[in-house]
Amino acid sequence: MSEPKSIRVDVELAGQKMAFMTSFENEDKLKTAANAVNDQITQITSGPNKSIERAALMTAVSFAAQIQDLKEQVQVITEPGVSSAAIQELSTKLDAIEKQVDIALDCLSLPGSPRSIVP
């Protein structure tokens, strides 16, 4: 019997339980990413800013900036033994992550939001 191609993973983001589908191999990555996002949102909303929508956007921008930093680092790698193919592969993966962040921002609509930002 073969393993299922995707599994349901339940996580909590900004006090909301959410379900994601992912491959078994990516379950831990998804949980780690969700925890990082939840921690960032919790930190932002524990201050004077209580808007979950604003905190989610700030978190997305923060992570997008970290991705940009990584892209810049990839471009300046000069370590011996690192092939240009490996650098290109990392760059392609970072571009894909950046697109996912953009899509998430475009489609973000949280329960209790004062307005929908879904296009």
Side-chain angles (χ1 to χ4, degrees):
M1 191 173 194
S2 65
E3 288 187 39
K5 292 185 180 189
S6 61
I7 60 170
R8 177 184 163 131
V9 177
D10 295 317
V11 298
E12 188 170 315
L13 294 170
Q16 301 290 319
K17 292 194 185 287
M18 302 182 106
F20 292 87
M21 297 302 288
T22 190
S23 66
F24 179 75
E25 300 84 31
N26 288 324
E27 179 180 7
D28 288 339
K29 289 179 190 175
L30 175 63
K31 287 179 178 179
T32 299
N35 285 336
V37 169
N38 192 54
D39 290 348
Q40 185 81 16
I41 289 173
T42 300
Q43 181 180 4
I44 292 169
T45 57
S46 69
N49 175 25
K50 301 296 183 200
S51 166
I52 292 175
E53 180 181 85
R54 184 172 170 87
L57 292 171
M58 291 172 71
T59 297
V61 169
S62 174
F63 287 148
Q66 290 175 32
I67 290 168
Q68 188 62 40
D69 286 345
L70 290 172
K71 286 174 79 172
E72 290 171 9
Q73 290 176 22
V74 166
Q75 291 174 355
V76 297
I77 290 177
T78 57
E79 216 172 296
V82 177
S83 70
S84 61
I87 292 171
Q88 181 59 42
E89 182 181 347
L90 284 173
S91 185
T92 300
K93 286 180 180 180
L94 287 170
D95 286 341
I97 293 168
E98 190 171 33
K99 282 181 184 178
Q100 289 176 333
V101 169
D102 289 342
I103 290 168
L105 285 173
D106 288 342
C107 297
L108 180 66
S109 179
L110 297 172
S113 295
R115 61 178 170 75
S116 175
I117 59 173
V118 175

